[in-house]
Amino acid sequence: MAELSDPPVLNRSSVETAHKRIKQNIHCTPVLTSQTLSDIASTPQSQQALAGTPLKGKTPAHPRIQFFFKCENYQRIGAFKIRGAFHALSRLKPEQLSKGVVTHSSGNHAQALALAARTHGVKAYIVMPTISTPSKIAATKGYGAEVIFSGSTSDEREAVVEDVIKRTGATLVPPYDHPMVVLGQGTMALELEQQVQEMVDSDSSLSVHREHDRTPTGQPAVNGNAENGSTLPHEPRAGHLDAVIAPLGGGGMLAGIATALEGTGTRVFGAEPSFEGADDGRRGLEANQRIPTVKTLTIADGLRTPVGKINWTIIRDKSKVKGVFAVTEEQILAAMRLVIERMKVFVEPSAVVGLAVCLYDEDFRTIVEEEGGEEGWDIGVILSGGNTTLEAVSKMFATESRAGERAEAKVGMAGERIAENVAG
């Protein structure tokens, strides 16, 4: 985007202002719970699950966890990105809007900016890597955008964007690395904390802290001063989230959530895929420097990007983001299966990396066990989107023929194929 003469301060108040600007254009997505998934997370992993890892032979962690899922897969365009896109466009000047907007994205931000631009009556130019999924390309075109294809790396995409800007004068709306985008994405955290408070006020059994006093509905408890970032020790309360975990790709969502929740006592964590170096955020924190490039074919295709420069300044701050963890492709698929089969919620792989960390990462689970004690933690999990297809999901979970037929109830336990008058 063009340089701002009065750039916003990245704090909770700015996120609240952003929410007021965009709430008429977005959905307040639902928050769901799942006792089944909470029970699974609260059960120690088996020794078999730890075999082949550095933790082989060690006692698995035994945390107590209650999940609250913020379902951004039910957001407009099927993902959280619409929040940042609408907020960014709302801050552009008329002369900028008249020349259109441009961005580069593998899919979700592409659709978000296309829809936001159409809503504002603005031309949108979307640079998409050729490896983008056909469903996301089709959806982006369906919102009226002009799609221009590029290579898959950030450098390749950005070069094409520069060509579009020279040709059209369009204003760049980055997919994640801009304060206006960060503030827009952070609005989901404001909704989440209020929704959880209202849910627990209505049914205290939803919280691990059910015996503690609750703060009044609509008044999230704040420890310390959110303006200066000071934080007092967090006292567990029913209705107050102990932690929120979100996927980390370019970092706009995680940085926005951390900004919105700074000073509230709610810990913020990031989650990434580890495949082919996709965990650049985690590795960057270990090395104490941002990793500028990522080239990976992780199934979590929405997270195939390095953390942005602006977002890195927030994510590396331990007072804002407590840590970043990474999970394998197999763990992502296992978490995705649980969400689809047990919760009946359709999500894309990128959406479940946070849940996978809670279920399978022993370092994270140990933190919950040690800091949460016998009560445990209430954890907000961001399900960031659901933009995939049945064909893609089917291929991800493709099985040996007979096992697949058994799962489809086409053969019996002994391989028989006879069925007659079977009640559903």
Side-chain angles (χ1 to χ4, degrees):
M1 289 174 64
E3 291 296 322
L4 297 169
S5 58
D6 186 21
V9 177
L10 291 175
N11 58 23
R12 181 182 175 91
S13 177
S14 296
V15 179
E16 292 171 338
T17 299
H19 194 234
K20 292 176 184 177
R21 295 180 74 99
I22 68 172
K23 62 182 179 181
Q24 65 181 2
N25 296 120
I26 63 173
H27 297 322
C28 180
T29 52
V31 172
L32 303 181
T33 60
S34 170
Q35 195 57 52
T36 297
L37 267 62
S38 294
D39 288 344
I40 292 173
S42 301
T43 302
Q45 295 193 83
S46 66
Q47 286 293 342
Q48 181 180 2
L50 301 182
T53 75
L55 299 173
K56 179 182 179 181
K58 294 186 178 180
T59 302
H62 192 179
R64 187 181 178 200
I65 293 173
Q66 191 73 28
F67 287 131
F68 295 85
F69 295 95
K70 180 65 168 167
C71 297
E72 286 292 288
N73 55 307
Y74 295 135
Q75 186 55 264
R76 296 184 71 183
I77 68 93
F80 74 97
K81 291 279 191 175
I82 197 71
R83 297 173 181 271
F86 265 114
H87 185 240
L89 259 67
S90 77
R91 301 298 294 261
L92 291 180
K93 299 175 181 177
E95 55 267 31
Q96 292 174 304
L97 293 172
S98 67
K99 296 180 180 180
V101 291
V102 61
T103 196
H104 58 88
S105 166
S106 63
N108 286 342
H109 179 65
Q111 295 173 70
L113 187 62
L115 176 57
R118 188 179 74 177
T119 302
H120 284 277
V122 174
K123 176 71 175 180
Y125 305 92
I126 310 295
V127 176
M128 302 185 74
T130 54
I131 202 169
S132 300
T133 61
S135 62
K136 292 180 179 180
I137 294 172
T140 303
K141 290 181 177 179
Y143 290 124
E146 179 180 327
V147 174
I148 304 107
F149 293 105
S150 73
S152 297
T153 68
S154 295
D155 288 343
E156 290 170 323
R157 285 179 283 177
E158 288 168 5
V160 177
V161 166
E162 286 301 317
D163 288 341
V164 173
I165 292 173
K166 290 177 182 178
R167 174 168 58 87
T168 67
T171 297
L172 172 63
V173 179
Y176 49 83
D177 203 26
H178 193 281
M180 294 306 180
V181 175
V182 170
L183 293 174
Q185 316 303 25
T187 59
M188 74 182 76
L190 302 181
E191 295 174 1
L192 173 60
E193 62 178 353
Q194 181 170 348
Q195 288 169 295
V196 170
Q197 183 72 69
E198 292 172 350
M199 291 168 68
V200 174
D201 281 347
S202 178
D203 181 0
S204 63
S205 69
L206 294 175
S207 171
V208 298
H209 307 302
R210 59 182 62 91
E211 301 302 324
H212 289 268
D213 291 334
R214 302 189 297 278
T215 54
T217 300
Q219 298 180 27
V222 177
N223 292 333
N225 188 326
E227 293 297 321
N228 61 28
S230 63
T231 305
L232 299 176
H234 167 54
E235 292 294 333
R237 287 180 301 278
H240 180 274
L241 288 169
D242 297 286
V244 171
I245 188 164
L248 172 58
M253 172 170 53
L254 184 60
I257 290 171
T259 299
L261 296 179
E262 183 182 7
T264 66
T266 296
R267 306 160 181 85
V268 176
F269 297 91
E272 297 177 299
S274 61
F275 186 69
E276 294 182 339
D279 56 339
D280 62 294
R282 182 186 65 81
R283 293 185 292 113
L285 291 175
E286 288 182 350
N288 198 32
Q289 62 180 5
R290 174 179 167 270
I291 295 174
T293 58
V294 171
K295 199 163 188 176
T296 172
L297 290 178
T298 173
I299 57 172
D301 64 304
L303 307 179
R304 296 174 181 174
T305 186
V307 176
K309 294 179 181 178
I310 294 172
N311 302 329
W312 173 251
T313 65
I314 297 171
I315 292 166
R316 73 180 180 185
D317 186 339
K318 291 284 284 186
S319 71
K320 297 176 181 178
V321 176
K322 297 300 182 184
V324 174
F325 300 86
V327 286
T328 66
E329 304 289 272
E330 293 76 18
Q331 290 168 336
I332 293 170
L333 285 175
M336 188 175 174
R337 180 185 292 275
L338 286 171
V339 172
I340 293 174
E341 293 185 351
R342 299 300 183 93
M343 293 182 66
K344 318 305 178 189
V345 173
F346 193 74
V347 289
E348 60 187 277
S350 302
V352 301
V353 290
L355 173 61
V357 166
C358 295
L359 294 174
Y360 308 120
D361 188 282
E362 282 295 299
D363 290 335
F364 178 82
R365 290 170 60 79
T366 298
I367 291 173
V368 180
E369 180 183 23
E370 293 178 350
E371 296 190 20
E374 292 185 3
E375 277 196 353
W377 278 4
D378 288 333
I379 300 180
V381 177
I382 306 299
L383 298 180
S384 54
N387 285 324
T388 187
T389 64
L390 287 174
E391 291 81 4
V393 172
S394 298
K395 187 172 182 180
M396 291 176 201
F397 291 102
T399 60
E400 177 269 327
S401 178
R402 180 54 60 89
E405 288 185 329
R406 177 74 187 113
E408 294 170 343
K410 289 185 177 180
V411 299
M413 295 180 184
E416 69 276 15
R417 290 179 174 273
I418 299 173
E420 183 176 343
N421 299 338
V422 179

